Amino acid sequence: MKGKIIKSTGSWYQVLEMETDRIFEARIRGKFKLIKTRLTNPLAVGDFVEFQLEQDDVAWITKIDQRRNYLIRKSVNLSKEAHIIASNIDVACFIFTLKHPETSLGFLDRFLACCEAYNIEPLILFNKMDVLHDEEIELVKDIEFLYQEIGYNSLEISSYSQLNLDDLQILLKDKTSVFFGHSGCGKSTLVNALQPGLNLKTSEISDTHLKGKHTTTFAQMHFWNFGGNVIDTPGVREFAMIDIEKEEVQHYFPEIFRKRKECKFHNCMHINEPKCAVLDALETGEIQHSRYSTYIKLMDEADELAQK
């Protein structure tokens, strides 16, 4: 039998059988060959699998199909291990909040680089627009313009005022999407707004630290009435790229990759080389310092991982 993983708690999985839409509780049997040896979990929500039924309708997963793509969560201390968050994604939505909680541009840039590396279409959602003052709204519009100039699609939204939710439904229709962002950024609230009656658990922002509490403890797929589905995930603190060479990192920053053709040396790493077009663009503001800073950090991390 063939199915799709729609929920993962770590030891048990829920599998949606493709032909009948029946849902089975499932476990793993045997060893799975992971696509990347540095990944810790053999299965993720979004995976297509083969399984067998035994007594009490318990399903045993016997095979996993090759993944089209996936996103992974970074492990602590730059270890070689990472955890798959979701797989076979059509569009990955990054929920950016200017406040409650504050989202760093570095976190957004790391997410976008991962989408570039694993061939996933990103969509930046500027959430909680209803709580912003005029000058804060202008700041969001400035940030939005910078990323649109690079080539990234974005949308200003609010779950409470319903701002642009109809437009978001059109973008998500008949696709497998996944929502990412800091805990408290409004992932579950947004899912509830797009799918009334789902009633995912939400929580308030901590007044002390202005950070969200983890309300989603495991990944689960939910289906939209308007077509398609979303993978709801626990709050992710940092994304990871594994098995990436230092020289490859520039490929995942479109504005840097475009500029590299103008560098004097074809193997320019854009650090301190002479006649580097990327460094010149950094000086003129054509490339943003925040983006370049993330680029350097990812190259340093790739270096450290290679030496472990």
Side-chain angles (χ1 to χ4, degrees), residues 240-255:
M241 291 194 295
I242 59 174
D243 293 340
I244 299 295
E245 301 293 334
K246 180 178 179 179
E247 294 76 15
E248 296 175 15
V249 175
Q250 61 183 299
H251 294 220
Y252 311 129
F253 289 77
E255 71 275 41

Side-chain angles (χ1 to χ4, degrees), residues 91-95 111 121 123-125 168 172 177-181:
V91 56
C93 300
F94 184 92
I95 301 179
F111 162 82
E121 178 190 346
L123 174 65
I124 307 170
L125 300 177
L168 181 55
L172 301 181
S177 55
V178 62
F179 290 171
F180 291 111

Side-chain angles (χ1 to χ4, degrees), residues 12 24-25 29 52-60:
W12 282 88
F24 296 94
E25 298 293 323
R29 170 168 290 169
Q52 297 174 345
L53 282 183
E54 295 197 359
Q55 56 186 1
D56 300 323
D57 277 348
V58 173
W60 289 94

Side-chain angles (χ1 to χ4, degrees), residues 101-160:
E102 179 182 353
T103 305
S104 72
L105 293 180
F107 187 50
L108 170 58
D109 290 335
R110 186 181 287 269
F111 162 82
L112 293 172
C114 288
C115 287
E116 296 281 354
Y118 298 115
N119 196 28
I120 299 170
E121 178 190 346
L123 174 65
I124 307 170
L125 300 177
F126 292 95
N127 195 22
K128 302 188 182 181
M129 295 297 294
D130 56 310
V131 304
L132 301 181
H133 302 301
D134 288 347
E135 60 270 21
E136 293 170 330
I137 291 174
E138 286 304 311
L139 178 55
V140 167
K141 289 187 180 297
D142 287 343
I143 295 171
E144 187 174 14
F145 176 77
L146 291 175
Y147 284 91
Q148 287 176 343
E149 284 288 286
I150 296 170
Y152 292 114
N153 292 327
S154 61
L155 193 66
E156 298 172 14
I157 63 168
S158 167
S159 299
Y160 290 102

